[in-house]
Amino acid sequence: MSPENASTAISSDCPGHLQPSELGTKQYWDHYYEEEFAAIRDEGAEDRDIGRLSTWFEDVNAPQRVLNFLISSEFPFAPCHFLAGTANEAPSILDLGTGNGQTLFQLRLQGGFRGQMTGLDYSKASIQLAQELGKNQQDCQDIRFEVMDIISDEPKEQEWWPEDGFDLVLDKGTFDAISLSEDVVESSTSNLSQTHQASVRLHTLYPSRALSMVKPGGFLLVTSCNWTQEELIHWFTGGATGSSHSASVWKCIEYPKFKFGGQEGQGACTVCFRKALSFE
Ligand SMILES: C[S@@+](CC[C@H](N)C(=O)[O-])C[C@H]1O[C@@H](n2cnc3c(N)ncnc32)[C@H](O)[C@@H]1O
């Protein structure tokens, strides 16, 4: 089945689908991070300025906006609530599609997050790059970077999996990238009272996969430039996918708005979802 046909197999109220592109392929990301690794390989580790490596959505200041939100006292897992010497355990953080690991390095070095951190990516080149950067970066040596395909691999079988999942799961540009894949898989979908097998685009499985890695009561933060805020909310609160994991919108991060052709828009959006506690 072609990707175009596959999209018709999903519930009719889903937010539509994106035209596939090379950013939806593993080859693209392998090449991207191999090049980035080659650019730093000859630099001495002590001369490296990891802050100048690529991080997505810098043009709209998304990394800083996300950091500001996560360290603000309104966020329950902000470091200010986990002062050294208190009994509270610092939150565990998982970065989905971590790329060169910048997001986690920033949270540790600038944000003061001290808990367990893990970055996943299906591109081995990205993980090798992130590991190389982490091992030479003070205070970052304990950050784990692991090769894993979020769609096809089972996180609960990995030795780094914490029993109930992670307190905070991050995605910056990864749902976007997966939404650009033309690949389809067989999946059971529900339509009114019937369940049937259908070919679906990979991203339709992603919200459920991402939420399955969040601890009950924990948070999932998704930053996108390909989907609108409303579309993201639709995908991750079950409206589009019928995900078995219940989540609600906890907060939307503000971005500057612009007007174009009479329509209002913004360069990116970040939505913070909270996964329901199992008894809610
Ligand atoms: C737009 S980049 C974002 C990288 C990083 N989060 C950042 O903000 O700089 C998308 C990332 O998702 C990864 N990715 C795409 N599909 C994936 C999958 N199925 N499983 C794991 N990682 C994936 C790519 O390798 C790439 O590193």
Side-chain angles (χ1 to χ4, degrees):
M1 185 184 270
S2 72
E4 292 75 26
N5 289 341
S7 66
T8 61
I10 302 156
S11 92
S12 57
D13 63 348
C14 71
H17 299 280
L18 305 177
Q19 189 63 29
S21 89
E22 60 170 358
L23 274 75
T25 65
K26 188 164 166 300
Q27 295 89 300
Y28 177 90
W29 295 110
D30 280 338
H31 181 68
Y32 184 93
Y33 290 111
E34 275 159 19
E35 297 260 289
E36 199 161 55
F37 203 167
I40 61 139
R41 192 172 284 132
D42 299 331
E43 290 175 357
E46 52 299 332
D47 300 329
R48 255 175 225 154
D49 171 13
I50 60 169
R52 84 182 151 71
L53 289 167
S54 69
T55 178
W56 285 72
F57 312 145
E58 245 190 329
D59 51 332
V60 288
N61 210 16
Q64 194 61 46
R65 283 173 202 279
V66 167
L67 180 68
N68 292 347
F69 166 72
L70 293 174
I71 62 174
S72 65
S73 57
E74 70 166 325
F75 186 60
F77 291 148
C80 60
H81 302 304
F82 297 88
L83 297 173
T86 64
N88 295 342
E89 220 184 287
S92 54
I93 303 180
L94 176 68
D95 186 25
L96 299 174
T98 196
N100 55 28
Q102 276 276 28
T103 300
L104 293 179
F105 297 138
Q106 189 197 31
L107 289 185
R108 173 62 59 79
L109 298 172
Q110 291 168 36
F113 284 85
R114 311 295 330 156
Q116 177 195 341
M117 286 186 175
T118 307
L120 301 181
D121 208 291
Y122 73 168
S123 162
K124 199 169 167 200
S126 115
I127 293 304
Q128 283 171 337
L129 170 60
Q131 285 172 339
E132 170 67 19
L133 295 169
K135 88 174 178 230
N136 293 305
Q137 192 65 40
Q138 209 184 355
D139 289 335
C140 292
Q141 279 99 348
D142 65 315
I143 302 179
R144 290 187 79 133
F145 291 102
E146 303 285 346
V147 177
M148 195 189 101
D149 187 318
I150 300 158
I151 301 296
S152 57
D153 294 336
E154 182 46 67
K156 291 171 190 159
E157 286 168 5
Q158 316 292 327
E159 45 126 350
W160 44 262
W161 176 254
E163 202 175 322
D164 298 328
F166 288 81
D167 294 306
L168 172 62
V169 176
L170 304 170
D171 167 341
K172 182 156 63 63
T174 303
F175 182 52
D176 277 2
I178 293 176
S179 300
L180 295 170
S181 168
E182 65 175 5
D183 294 345
V184 292
V185 287
E186 286 296 306
S187 174
S188 52
T189 58
S190 298
N191 194 344
L192 296 176
S193 57
Q194 288 181 324
T195 299
H196 57 96
Q197 283 290 112
S199 299
V200 295
R201 294 263 302 267
L202 297 186
H203 67 281
T204 65
L205 307 179
Y206 181 87
S208 175
R209 306 283 299 161
L211 281 166
S212 75
M213 300 186 219
V214 184
K215 226 182 226 179
F219 295 89
L220 169 67
L221 207 77
V222 186
T223 302
S224 167
C225 72
N226 284 344
W227 299 102
T228 65
Q229 190 171 288
E230 291 67 33
E231 287 169 335
L232 269 195
I233 292 171
H234 204 64
W235 279 119
F236 285 85
T237 56
T241 50
S243 162
S244 56
H245 302 278
S246 167
S248 56
V249 176
W250 196 76
K251 174 106 185 173
C252 296
I253 294 180
E254 293 289 322
Y255 284 82
K257 304 242 184 309
F258 60 83
K259 275 212 159 164
F260 185 74
Q263 299 261 33
E264 197 172 62
Q266 54 189 43
C269 56
T270 301
V271 182
C272 179
F273 299 95
R274 186 164 208 176
K275 183 166 165 176
L277 290 164
S278 34
F279 53 81
E280 280 175 338

